[in-house]
Amino acid sequence: MSVLKNKRSESKAKYINTAYEIYTRTINFLSRLSERYSRLMASDISHTAYNLLFHCETANSIYPSNNTRIELREKHLLEARGALMSLDVFLSLCYETLSLNAVGAFTTAGGKQLKSNEAYERLGNLSQKLGELIDEENRLLTAVLKTNKGNEITE
């Protein structure tokens, strides 16, 4: 039976879906960069987005049935949060670099450069959505970490 939309609560595993969305949007953003920028930035940024997703998935797969598992789960959640903060910094640096010359930053599918106003608009739109997702993921991971702390088993 489904729950009415206004009666639904936030899923405790929403941080995984958000990590997936951050990863796919980051890859989408990087794949639209021109070759000169792509070869300088794409590898490190995509690897950091992958680490975020990896640690979120790994943490979620650990059932907190004893203190050792709880600690391991917390370690992966902290690694995920660290990757998220690094990704935020890397994407900010990328944004700053690209905003200096947005016209040369993006190419179309046919390999042509975008016009100035289109390039700045694309950069702003892509950056805005990723920034919102990063803020949301930080909020979600912080909540999961607090919940994980409360799960410690006393013997």
Side-chain angles (χ1 to χ4, degrees), residues 78-91:
L78 289 170
E79 290 285 346
R81 192 157 183 274
L84 180 69
M85 296 297 102
S86 294
L87 183 62
D88 189 29
V89 169
F90 290 158
L91 287 171

Side-chain angles (χ1 to χ4, degrees), residues 51-52 55 74-84:
N51 280 336
L52 166 65
H55 287 293
E74 182 178 6
K75 178 182 180 249
H76 283 289
L77 289 168
L78 289 170
E79 290 285 346
R81 192 157 183 274
L84 180 69

Side-chain angles (χ1 to χ4, degrees), residues 20-34:
Y20 269 104
E21 189 172 356
I22 289 171
Y23 179 79
T24 57
R25 285 186 180 268
T26 300
I27 297 302
N28 182 44
F29 173 74
L30 295 172
S31 68
R32 296 177 186 276
L33 293 178
S34 67

Side-chain angles (χ1 to χ4, degrees), residues 96-143:
E96 292 297 322
T97 302
L98 297 178
S99 66
L100 295 174
N101 183 19
V103 175
F106 296 101
T107 56
T108 64
K112 296 181 182 175
Q113 287 187 345
L114 292 179
K115 294 178 183 172
S116 178
N117 58 344
E118 292 175 25
Y120 282 107
E121 184 178 335
R122 179 178 286 180
L123 179 59
N125 290 341
L126 292 169
S127 300
Q128 178 66 33
K129 184 59 181 172
L130 272 170
E132 290 169 0
L133 285 168
I134 287 170
D135 290 344
E136 174 71 3
E137 182 73 349
N138 186 36
R139 185 186 67 74
L140 293 168
L141 284 172
T142 300

